[in-house]
Amino acid sequence: MKKPKRYMYTVQVTEDYLFDAEDENTAMQVAGLIQAVNDPELAKEIVENNNGFVQVDIVETIEEEE
């Protein structure tokens, strides 16, 4: 019986939150808030309140393992 080949399916999601802030400290506070809420809809609202937007990129790959 022939041994089946092994494959790996990988999904990578990149979430970019672009927003305005007065300085790096304020930006770090906004980023911390985005991380703390752990809710995509609420995070989007936080970013929009800071004149920004959210960009989500999804990359999917499938590879044959040697």
Side-chain angles (χ1 to χ4, degrees):
M1 184 174 177
K2 186 177 177 183
K3 182 179 176 185
K5 296 177 183 176
R6 180 161 297 205
Y7 292 87
M8 179 173 64
Y9 172 63
T10 304
V11 179
Q12 296 173 311
V13 178
T14 301
E15 300 174 20
D16 293 319
Y17 298 91
L18 291 92
F19 54 88
D20 293 341
E22 293 297 319
D23 53 35
E24 187 174 351
N25 186 46
T26 304
M28 294 297 289
Q29 290 175 359
V30 172
L33 188 55
I34 291 167
Q35 185 179 18
V37 297
N38 197 26
D39 177 337
E41 289 303 314
L42 192 50
K44 184 177 179 185
E45 187 176 319
I46 291 166
V47 170
E48 288 173 349
N49 287 338
N50 288 284
N51 298 319
F53 64 95
V54 179
Q55 177 178 316
V56 178
D57 293 318
I58 299 173
V59 176
E60 299 176 86
T61 57
I62 189 163
E63 301 176 7
E64 181 180 343
E65 291 292 299
E66 298 289 327

